[in-house]
Amino acid sequence: WNVGLLLDILRKIHLRSVEDTPPSMNSPPEEQPHPQTILAEVKEVIALPHWLNTPNGNPKQVELPQVAIDQLADLVGSLAMLYKENPFHNFEHASHVTLAVSKLLSRVVDPKIEGVDAINEEATDSLRHEFSYGITSDPLVHFALVFSAIIHDIDHPGVPNTVLLKEGSGLSKRYKRSIAEQNSFQLAWDMLMESRYEELRNAICRTESDLQRFRQLLVNATMATDVMDKDLNVLRRARWEKAFA
């Protein structure tokens, strides 16, 4: 069902992209230079697309290329194999988090706005867009959040980052903080960029700009799963206060 959740969102991406973006990339994406660590890529603000329109059609009726569907199933299976048999940080845990993220996201994507008349569907969708700060209208955000839940504990050693630092593990020498989270992201991203998943990448991101935005969303979401770092939590609370106070 992890694959099923992602496929549902992928159909929404396809429905939106058919109307709003140019054709997909015809060649493999060129990796843009990134900071030395994944954590350094985290941005305080990620711009979301402006309101365009309500896509015509039913996402459930969208027919995706079978090769992209097969590649998605293969990718999720391959990512699952990277999980270790830890008592907690295992693929079963990742699947539980994925289901929870999907459920919580559904409440954000389709909020019940008091006093809104649903007769005018496009007007209602526009209000949902504003109410959710654009998240409702951007299925790429939905895909990134659910995908981040699947990958967030890949190759987790089963001990906290503080222990990895104390023991001087190889990963701790590469990443000074959010060690397990950065490693999980890098392994998942490197796998997604392999040539065997080209059609899947094109289904997720039809342009180079989409790919870079997808990476940024995935970085922010995955790094946010390090909830034990006190300094990072202070920064997150400050961002929350700045945005919603």
Side-chain angles (χ1 to χ4, degrees), residues 186-224:
Q186 193 63 64
L187 290 173
W189 186 260
D190 287 348
M191 182 176 289
L192 178 61
M193 290 300 105
E194 293 177 8
S195 60
R196 57 178 169 150
Y197 299 121
E198 181 178 354
E199 288 78 7
L200 173 60
R201 288 197 306 272
N202 285 336
I204 301 169
C205 305
R206 291 170 60 84
T207 67
E208 185 67 29
S209 176
D210 281 347
L211 183 66
Q212 295 308 314
R213 191 163 68 88
F214 175 63
R215 179 184 171 94
Q216 186 63 67
L217 291 164
L218 199 60
V219 165
N220 272 45
T222 308
M223 294 305 99

Side-chain angles (χ1 to χ4, degrees), residues 37-39 175 177-186 223:
T37 65
I38 311 301
L39 190 60
Y175 306 116
R177 59 197 318 178
S178 299
I179 300 167
E181 292 77 15
Q182 293 194 76
N183 180 55
S184 296
F185 176 91
Q186 193 63 64
M223 294 305 99

Side-chain angles (χ1 to χ4, degrees), residues 65-90:
Q66 187 60 47
V67 63
I69 295 174
D70 293 341
Q71 288 180 7
L72 178 60
D74 182 82
L75 175 64
V76 172
S78 297
L79 292 172
M81 295 297 292
L82 294 179
Y83 274 84
K84 296 181 178 179
E85 294 184 4
N86 298 314
F88 181 74
H89 298 96
N90 51 48

Side-chain angles (χ1 to χ4, degrees), residues 9 139-149 213-214 217-218 221-222:
I9 305 172
L140 190 60
V141 171
H142 312 170
F143 194 95
L145 291 176
V146 174
F147 191 66
S148 71
R213 191 163 68 88
F214 175 63
L217 291 164
L218 199 60
T222 308

